[in-house]
Amino acid sequence: MSDWPLEDRGVAYGDGLFETVLVRDGTPLLWEQHLARLARGCRVLGMPLPAREHLEAPLVEAGAGLSVLKLILTRGSGGRGYALPETLEPRLRWRLDPFAPSAQRWRHGVRVRHCRLRLGIQPLLAGLKHLNRLENVLARAEWTNADTAEGLLCDAEGRLVEATCMNLFWQRDGVLETPRLDRCGVAGTLRVTLLERAPIREVDAAPETLERVEALWLGNSLQGLWPVARLDDAEGNPLRHWRVGPSHRPLQALAHEALGYPAITP
Amino acid sequence: MSDWPLEDRGVAYGDGLFETVLVRDGTPLLWEQHLARLARGCRVLGMPLPAREHLEAPLVEAGAGLSVLKLILTRGSGGRGYALPETLEPRLRWRLDPFAPSAQRWRHGVRVRHCRLRLGIQPLLAGLKHLNRLENVLARAEWTNADTAEGLLCDAEGRLVEATCMNLFWQRDGVLETPRLDRCGVAGTLRVTLLERAPIREVDAAPETLERVEALWLGNSLQGLWPVARLDDAEGNPLRHWRVGPSHRPLQALAHEALGYPAITP
């Protein structure tokens, strides 16, 4: 696909939205959930949602096997400064790339750490996959060792929110929980799906909560669900280890069913 | 100048910075202040600052009279997701456009309103002119009547911060004040200049403060300093009127001296 014009509001202001979609043999997974989030983002930003046929057009170019479709929708060009253009002509661009999930992490789990960065609280934009992602970039830059898979983020008031590009789930006293996302964070499509299919409570929780949970997972619609085997503090020192095993598998199996990934046996 | 590649991190994540510079007869105004802010942004984002000669190269194309130079510096392409590329090759783009300030506003002042949107608190990014500007876009979309010139923004905890694209100054009990910008907001180059040249205190203030000030101004390095003649609430109903006159002129004259604009006489 072609480039972005110099004056596009996507680069000038991050004035737009994106979706990253797992595609198997030309079929997009969790597609209704992706479309619903994009539609909600368009309502909040005051942009028209492109016709479904335009959003689905790239799929004809996906070959056999797994690929990842990245859709970026910006408000287009125009407007004086931050003011909206009188006539909105959003700009849709996409790319398709081959994809392979980190399958060994499904079985053995991952090492994660707390990030120092605190997410700003902005309820207007909470849950949306918009193009203002500098916080995620800066949080991801907090570590460079390859054996740390993700970083966990709290909001400015110290509540757990998400990981830099995944949502967070845990089991505490036998109950499945995930952070509420009404102040900041991205409401992942896999999270939406798991909330529909499993009894998961949306809660406010402090980061110390995680040191007392029976099981912890990270997940998104590309990678599926990773059990967490080790949690580090923001300096990389261990806070807690978990034995990855049977207690991690039922929720993982639900997630993987939705994505066409295999269920892992203990 | 050329377009942005599809995968540029500027559009993908707003991963970059910009500057908007007033240029008179080929000479950039407040140029050292613009360079200092850009350098600080590069340090925070972990990007190399382009050589001064590259940043100044566009100026040879500026003709006589006033123009506005917009520089956008992104982190370039590459990296897996939010993770930084191993080799950083920032991308610099610019455009020059003719410019004319809203000179009648210098004399007669403007009508402004409070915005409903609250800025998220993110000290890491506070003061920078980065590319994550969705909050400004949404705030600017709160009004469409042409006779309202600007909207005032508070942070999530209710402190005054700035206007959508200008900084805020007022005189209270004979003392000049401006909001502190250590939690959010953009530290304008005109604001930096005025803080150096006039006794202005940086303060935390509630929005109701403005109803009791003797004079209120908005300013930036393109427009100079606008006296405020009328302040509205977020529905456009008047909260306070000021007679624009002699009390507004000294600070305005200081600002205009820095930008080569005329001093306005009562």
Side-chain angles (χ1 to χ4, degrees), chain B residues 118-189:
Chain B
R118 295 283 174 263
L119 294 168
I121 292 175
Q122 180 48 271
L124 267 184
L125 297 172
L128 302 184
K129 206 163 168 86
H130 56 69
L131 298 174
N132 279 200
R133 301 261 75 107
L134 260 179
E135 291 182 320
N136 305 66
V137 171
L138 292 182
R140 181 60 188 82
E142 289 190 23
W143 78 95
T144 53
N145 55 312
D147 58 341
T148 294
E150 253 289 20
L152 310 188
L153 290 160
C154 291
D155 68 23
E157 297 176 354
R159 289 175 289 247
L160 280 167
V161 180
E162 62 185 1
T164 69
C165 69
M166 302 184 110
N167 287 123
L168 214 51
F169 308 88
W170 61 80
Q171 180 183 313
R172 174 165 58 157
D173 301 328
V175 178
L176 294 170
E177 297 178 334
T178 190
R180 291 175 63 190
L181 297 179
D182 51 352
R183 302 178 193 93
C184 52
V186 177
T189 55

Side-chain angles (χ1 to χ4, degrees), chain A residues 1-16 18 44-46 70 72 74-75 80 82-84 93-95 102 117-125 129-138 140-142 156-157 164-165 186 223, chain B residues 1-16 18 44-46 70 72 74-75 80 82-84 93-95 102 117-125 129-138 140-142 156-157 164-165 186 223:
Chain A
M1 286 292 292
S2 53
D3 291 348
W4 299 98
L6 179 61
E7 76 288 354
D8 188 273
R9 294 175 64 101
V11 66
Y13 308 132
D15 193 3
F18 70 115
V44 171
L45 267 53
K70 180 159 182 172
I72 302 186
T74 76
R75 203 186 298 270
R80 288 180 50 204
Y82 298 127
L84 304 189
R93 297 276 188 274
W94 54 270
R95 57 181 289 172
S102 305
L117 180 141
R118 294 283 173 265
L119 294 169
I121 292 175
Q122 180 48 271
L124 266 184
L125 297 172
K129 206 163 168 86
H130 56 69
L131 297 174
N132 280 200
R133 301 263 73 108
L134 260 178
E135 291 183 320
N136 305 66
V137 171
L138 293 182
R140 181 59 188 83
E142 288 190 23
E157 297 176 354
T164 69
C165 69
V186 177
Q223 292 288 355
Chain B
M1 287 290 292
S2 53
D3 291 348
W4 300 97
L6 178 61
E7 76 289 355
D8 189 272
R9 294 174 64 100
V11 64
Y13 307 131
D15 194 3
F18 70 114
V44 171
L45 268 52
K70 180 160 183 172
I72 303 186
T74 76
R75 202 187 299 271
R80 288 180 50 203
Y82 297 127
L84 303 189
R93 296 277 188 272
W94 54 270
R95 57 181 290 172
S102 305
L117 181 141
R118 295 283 174 263
L119 294 168
I121 292 175
Q122 180 48 271
L124 267 184
L125 297 172
K129 206 163 168 86
H130 56 69
L131 298 174
N132 279 200
R133 301 261 75 107
L134 260 179
E135 291 182 320
N136 305 66
V137 171
L138 292 182
R140 181 60 188 82
E142 289 190 23
E157 297 176 354
T164 69
C165 69
V186 177
Q223 292 288 357

Side-chain angles (χ1 to χ4, degrees), chain A residues 175-240:
Chain A
V175 178
L176 294 170
E177 297 179 335
T178 191
R180 291 174 64 189
L181 297 179
D182 51 351
R183 302 177 194 92
C184 52
V186 177
T189 55
L190 180 63
R191 179 180 180 276
V192 169
T193 304
L194 288 176
L195 283 169
E196 286 168 359
R197 300 186 185 184
I200 303 176
R201 294 199 315 174
E202 295 180 89
V203 299
D204 287 336
E208 298 76 23
T209 306
L210 299 184
E211 297 163 41
R212 301 186 301 270
V213 303
E214 294 108 51
L216 176 62
W217 301 262
L218 300 179
N220 68 27
S221 63
L222 288 180
Q223 292 288 355
L225 211 60
W226 296 342
V228 174
R230 170 177 167 172
L231 170 64
D232 291 346
D233 66 17
E235 278 71 48
N237 304 307
L239 289 171
R240 173 78 198 266

Side-chain angles (χ1 to χ4, degrees), chain A residues 33-209:
Chain A
Q33 288 83 350
H34 285 288
L35 291 176
R37 181 171 60 188
L38 193 63
R40 188 179 150 242
C42 284
R43 281 196 302 276
V44 171
L45 267 53
M47 286 164 51
L49 179 71
R52 191 176 175 120
E53 66 203 75
H54 291 135
L55 296 167
E56 293 179 347
L59 295 168
V60 301
E61 298 190 17
L66 289 180
S67 30
V68 53
L69 169 65
K70 180 159 182 172
L71 293 164
I72 302 186
L73 178 68
T74 76
R75 203 186 298 270
S77 303
R80 288 180 50 204
Y82 298 127
L84 304 189
E86 290 192 18
T87 310
L88 283 179
E89 293 184 32
R91 195 166 277 130
L92 179 68
R93 297 276 188 274
W94 54 270
R95 57 181 289 172
L96 264 169
D97 289 293
F99 181 74
S102 305
Q104 76 290 353
R105 291 176 168 176
W106 295 337
R107 179 170 303 282
H108 302 294
V110 294
R111 173 181 172 187
V112 303
R113 63 154 61 194
H114 286 296
C115 290
R116 279 180 292 272
L117 180 141
R118 294 283 173 265
L119 294 169
I121 292 175
Q122 180 48 271
L124 266 184
L125 297 172
L128 302 183
K129 206 163 168 86
H130 56 69
L131 297 174
N132 280 200
R133 301 263 73 108
L134 260 178
E135 291 183 320
N136 305 66
V137 171
L138 293 182
R140 181 59 188 83
E142 288 190 23
W143 79 95
T144 53
N145 57 311
D147 57 340
T148 293
E150 254 289 20
L152 309 189
L153 290 160
C154 291
D155 68 24
E157 297 176 354
R159 289 175 288 246
L160 280 168
V161 180
E162 62 186 359
T164 69
C165 69
M166 302 184 109
N167 288 121
L168 214 51
F169 308 88
W170 60 79
Q171 181 183 311
R172 174 165 58 157
D173 302 328
V175 178
L176 294 170
E177 297 179 335
T178 191
R180 291 174 64 189
L181 297 179
D182 51 351
R183 302 177 194 92
C184 52
V186 177
T189 55
L190 180 63
R191 179 180 180 276
V192 169
T193 304
L194 288 176
L195 283 169
E196 286 168 359
R197 300 186 185 184
I200 303 176
R201 294 199 315 174
E202 295 180 89
V203 299
D204 287 336
E208 298 76 23
T209 306

Side-chain angles (χ1 to χ4, degrees), chain B residues 22-23 65-69 97-102 220-224 261:
Chain B
L22 182 66
V23 179
L66 290 180
S67 29
V68 54
L69 169 64
D97 289 293
F99 181 74
S102 305
N220 67 27
S221 64
L222 289 180
Q223 292 288 357
Y261 288 147

